[in-house]
Amino acid sequence: MDSAVLLDILGNENRRRILRLLSHKPCYVTEISEYLGVSPKAVIDHLRKLEEAGLVESRTDDQRRKYFNISRNLRLEVDVSPYEFDMKSAYPASPSLDVSTCQYLSLNVQYGNQPDGREAEDDTETVSEAEAGEIATLAEELNCLEDLKSELSLAQRWVHGRITNVLDQLGEEVDENGQNRIRAEILAALAAGAETVRDVSRETDAPEHIVERHLTSMSERGIVKDNGGNWTLSG
Amino acid sequence: MDSAVLLDILGNENRRRILRLLSHKPCYVTEISEYLGVSPKAVIDHLRKLEEAGLVESRTDDQRRKYFNISRNLRLEVDVSPYEFDMKSAYPASPSLDVSTCQYLSLNVQYGNQPDGREAEDDTETVSEAEAGEIATLAEELNCLEDLKSELSLAQRWVHGRITNVLDQLGEEVDENGQNRIRAEILAALAAGAETVRDVSRETDAPEHIVERHLTSMSERGIVKDNGGNWTLSG
């Protein structure tokens, strides 16, 4: 989903309250209206926008009354700094994703089993010993995952702060009329192994003539070197 | 900063465009107005809201003309799932934070040096060999940090998906009238070592009488055990 659409949707207090309510349990329009103290008409309007964005969906119960629930797993990340305004929204990664292929990151969690698609239990049935064991394992996994989620969030904030620091430091060395950010990106692309103007342009998402202008200007100051069209860092 | 205030601010396309513009370089009102094709009056109104939220700040240049820049590092995370609507905003963690204390997470990056607060270089001066080396090191670090940021984001999406899966699975076992989420949280709190109703209530942010009701109902089904006020998982 487009991050801008998502921010437009979430930029409304009543829509956020509807989502919070639905995350606790599926609701009828009348329930939402009473809980929020908002007219059913206004609730229906918000629900329509949430449905159009694919965030909620409606079903009908045995009495053919329509109820609503959140239909989608979604994550939105926004980073703001003097050098950055970055919005990203994404569906959850597949549970079978192999996180161990990450280069800079290791996760020390047990990877749990996939759901086995078994039928739901009767709500009041006594559980067997094996089921109780499975529930305990799931509860432990949930506990680990929630701790890991906090650690990842902390790590993201640490990285965000470090990136700003590095850009501050690079800015002191290479800035020219506030063109710090693009220059830093060009240097990072060279550090990652990009050599030609075209490579760097693709890495940095900047037009080739802009990349070329910065490379030339930085080579005049001895920051980068041009080896016949193959650019490298001087240091 | 309050996540709700931040979402209200970001829920406007023109304010997002202003932030994107300012993340590239500090700007005068007239520049922003021309770039956005929006009247200076409307731009000033948006800037006022952004200033009140502490996201941008203004300075005056040598000719006493006012210009604006982003003043704050900030990160916003929103998680949406059938069980969750969670918004979190935070400043970057301190660069000196010891990420190695994380229990479930290891980061394989070199921790760079702190900024040394040196004066900015003249924009056109040639850099020394030592400076070129420092620039290359910074560019490499920036490159690593950006890769790490992507990996963390992927890991967060993976965790988000896993948590939803575990809640789905737990729901099959312990749900009673759509009270899945709170029950899962109670079980996770027990798995984390909470024993008394008070402990669990604090961990889960739910009132004690609600926690007690769920514990009692789950003990009747053999999911948890009451050992004289100390609760444990049966499995």
Side-chain angles (χ1 to χ4, degrees):
Chain A
M1 172 180 297
D2 184 21
S3 309
V5 173
L6 195 54
L7 280 171
D8 285 341
I9 291 276
L10 297 177
N12 177 287
E13 169 69 12
N14 279 330
R15 284 196 288 272
R16 293 196 295 266
R17 292 174 68 202
I18 290 175
L19 286 172
R20 199 168 300 118
L21 185 59
L22 294 180
S23 75
H24 295 137
K25 66 185 193 67
C27 289
Y28 303 105
V29 168
T30 48
E31 287 178 285
I32 302 173
S33 163
E34 276 167 30
Y35 181 85
L36 264 62
V38 167
S39 73
K41 192 178 160 304
V43 168
I44 290 169
D45 198 47
H46 287 309
L47 285 169
R48 191 180 43 74
K49 285 186 183 147
L50 288 165
E51 264 190 305
E52 279 169 8
L55 278 171
V56 312
E57 64 186 5
S58 64
R59 299 183 191 183
T60 43
D61 68 8
D62 302 342
Q63 283 87 50
R64 300 209 188 146
R65 291 175 65 199
K66 205 171 172 181
Y67 66 94
F68 291 82
N69 59 276
I70 295 179
S71 55
R72 184 165 277 182
N73 274 9
L74 201 69
R75 185 176 165 82
L76 171 71
E77 300 175 0
V78 182
D79 283 312
V80 183
S81 88
Y83 309 111
E84 183 177 30
F85 178 65
D86 186 27
M87 322 184 283
K88 189 160 47 180
S89 63
Y91 307 108
S94 158
S96 60
L97 170 82
D98 188 0
V99 191
S100 67
T101 59
C102 285
Q103 193 181 350
Y104 296 102
L105 173 71
S106 325
L107 303 185
N108 313 318
V109 284
Q110 293 289 328
Y111 296 9
N113 301 316
Q114 297 307 302
D116 55 10
R118 200 181 33 207
E119 284 303 295
E121 308 285 320
D122 182 316
D123 275 0
T124 52
E125 206 174 277
T126 306
V127 298
S128 70
E129 214 168 291
E131 281 164 347
E134 201 179 315
I135 290 170
T137 308
L138 287 168
E140 273 156 36
E141 186 176 355
L142 182 58
N143 181 45
C144 290
L145 287 168
E146 284 177 346
D147 284 351
L148 174 58
K149 187 177 162 182
S150 303
E151 289 183 357
L152 286 168
S153 186
L154 190 67
Q156 275 289 26
R157 289 167 48 211
W158 178 82
V159 168
H160 187 42
R162 279 295 314 157
I163 288 179
T164 306
N165 264 354
V166 169
L167 287 171
D168 277 341
Q169 286 178 274
L170 271 176
E172 286 175 13
E173 304 281 358
V174 305
D175 188 31
E176 201 166 292
N177 309 319
Q179 301 286 299
N180 175 10
R181 179 67 209 237
I182 174 67
R183 293 195 162 198
E185 291 299 334
I186 290 171
L187 295 173
L190 294 180
E195 291 195 324
T196 64
V197 169
R198 171 168 296 187
D199 289 348
V200 174
S201 156
R202 201 163 26 210
E203 276 285 310
T204 56
D205 239 354
E208 292 191 20
H209 71 278
I210 302 273
V211 169
E212 185 139 30
R213 181 158 58 73
H214 283 297
L215 281 170
T216 305
S217 158
M218 287 194 287
S219 77
E220 282 161 11
R221 293 180 51 204
I223 297 167
V224 297
K225 276 189 296 210
D226 179 7
N227 316 298
N230 284 342
W231 294 84
T232 51
L233 294 166
S234 301
Chain B
M1 173 182 295
D2 184 23
S3 309
V5 172
L6 195 55
L7 281 170
D8 285 340
I9 291 276
L10 296 177
N12 178 286
E13 169 69 11
N14 279 330
R15 284 197 287 273
R16 293 196 296 268
R17 292 173 70 202
I18 290 175
L19 286 172
R20 198 168 300 117
L21 185 58
L22 293 181
S23 75
H24 295 137
K25 67 184 192 66
C27 289
Y28 303 106
V29 169
T30 48
E31 287 177 286
I32 303 173
S33 163
E34 276 168 31
Y35 181 86
L36 263 63
V38 166
S39 72
K41 193 179 160 304
V43 168
I44 290 169
D45 197 46
H46 287 310
L47 285 169
R48 191 179 45 73
K49 284 185 183 147
L50 289 165
E51 264 190 306
E52 279 169 6
L55 278 171
V56 313
E57 63 185 7
S58 64
R59 299 185 190 180
T60 43
D61 68 7
D62 302 341
Q63 283 88 50
R64 300 209 187 146
R65 292 176 66 199
K66 206 170 171 181
Y67 65 94
F68 291 82
N69 59 276
I70 295 179
S71 55
R72 185 166 274 184
N73 273 11
L74 202 69
R75 186 176 163 81
L76 171 71
E77 299 174 0
V78 182
D79 282 314
V80 183
S81 89
Y83 309 110
E84 182 177 30
F85 178 65
D86 186 27
M87 323 184 281
K88 190 161 47 181
S89 63
Y91 307 109
S94 158
S96 60
L97 171 82
D98 188 0
V99 191
S100 67
T101 58
C102 285
Q103 192 181 351
Y104 297 102
L105 173 71
S106 325
L107 303 184
N108 314 316
V109 282
Q110 293 289 328
Y111 296 9
N113 300 317
Q114 298 306 304
D116 56 9
R118 200 180 35 206
E119 284 302 296
E121 309 284 320
D122 182 315
D123 275 0
T124 52
E125 205 174 278
T126 305
V127 299
S128 71
E129 215 168 290
E131 282 164 346
E134 201 179 315
I135 290 170
T137 308
L138 286 167
E140 273 156 36
E141 185 176 357
L142 182 59
N143 182 45
C144 290
L145 287 168
E146 285 176 346
D147 285 352
L148 174 58
K149 187 176 161 180
S150 304
E151 290 183 356
L152 285 168
S153 187
L154 191 66
Q156 276 169 320
R157 290 167 47 209
W158 178 82
V159 168
H160 186 41
R162 280 293 317 155
I163 287 180
T164 306
N165 264 355
V166 169
L167 288 172
D168 278 340
Q169 286 178 273
L170 271 177
E172 286 175 12
E173 304 281 357
V174 305
D175 189 30
E176 201 166 291
N177 308 318
Q179 300 287 298
N180 175 10
R181 179 67 207 239
I182 173 67
R183 292 194 162 199
E185 291 299 334
I186 290 171
L187 295 173
L190 293 180
E195 292 195 324
T196 64
V197 168
R198 171 169 296 187
D199 289 349
V200 174
S201 156
R202 201 163 26 210
E203 275 285 310
T204 56
D205 238 355
E208 292 191 19
H209 70 279
I210 303 272
V211 169
E212 185 139 31
R213 182 158 59 73
H214 283 297
L215 281 171
T216 305
S217 157
M218 287 195 286
S219 76
E220 281 160 10
R221 292 181 52 204
I223 297 166
V224 298
K225 276 189 296 211
D226 178 8
N227 315 298
N230 283 343
W231 294 85
T232 51
L233 295 165
S234 300

